[in-house]
Amino acid sequence: MKLSLKIEEFAMLILGVFLFTKLDYSWWWFAGLFLVPDIGMLGYLASDKIGAYSYNIFHHKGIAIAIYLMGIMLDHAFLQLSGIMLFAHSSFDRCFGYGLKYEKGFKFTHLGEIGT
């Protein structure tokens, strides 16, 4: 089952890359912004609870899709870009088992414990 989930997440990463190609941005934007959602990990400096909350905000695909759709409705390319980057990055992370976090620590995710 884990392999199936990773394949599905990889397909969503490819979808994110495809949607990016439909925007009028250079590829350096994709490369430069790809790791920006990891800023959500800074919450772990305060506590596991705050870290899980901030990480999940920056890695939630529903939020990413909502931002992207808002960008389409408002014809706002930067919102579309932001949604795509959040979506693609989250899919990339999940390919490696980094899912949404539980409050008990960084390694406890909705996909299971990281490293096991």
Side-chain angles (χ1 to χ4, degrees):
M1 182 56 100
K2 281 188 176 187
L3 178 61
S4 177
L5 289 172
K6 289 179 180 186
I7 292 169
E8 182 178 37
E9 292 297 339
F10 184 72
M12 285 188 258
L13 171 60
I14 299 302
L15 173 62
V17 172
F18 171 75
L19 292 173
F20 177 81
T21 66
K22 300 301 176 188
L23 298 176
D24 194 26
Y25 285 97
S26 299
W27 276 102
W28 71 266
W29 278 95
F30 190 88
L33 296 175
F34 191 71
L35 295 177
V36 168
D38 282 338
I39 197 167
M41 288 191 292
L42 291 176
Y44 281 101
L45 296 174
S47 72
D48 284 340
K49 183 177 182 177
I50 292 172
Y53 182 76
S54 62
Y55 181 93
N56 291 345
I57 292 292
F58 283 90
H59 290 79
H60 195 287
K61 288 186 181 181
I63 293 171
I65 292 168
I67 292 170
Y68 176 72
L69 292 175
M70 187 181 302
I72 288 175
M73 290 183 341
L74 298 174
D75 195 29
H76 195 282
F78 189 74
L79 282 176
Q80 292 175 40
L81 174 66
S82 299
I84 289 169
M85 296 311 301
L86 289 173
F87 185 82
H89 175 86
S90 297
S91 296
F92 178 80
D93 274 5
R94 291 178 190 167
C95 285
F96 294 100
Y98 292 94
L100 297 175
K101 307 300 183 204
Y102 290 114
E103 294 178 359
K104 60 184 179 177
F106 182 81
K107 68 180 186 173
F108 301 100
T109 78
H110 81 288
L111 298 174
E113 191 174 333
I114 296 171
T116 59

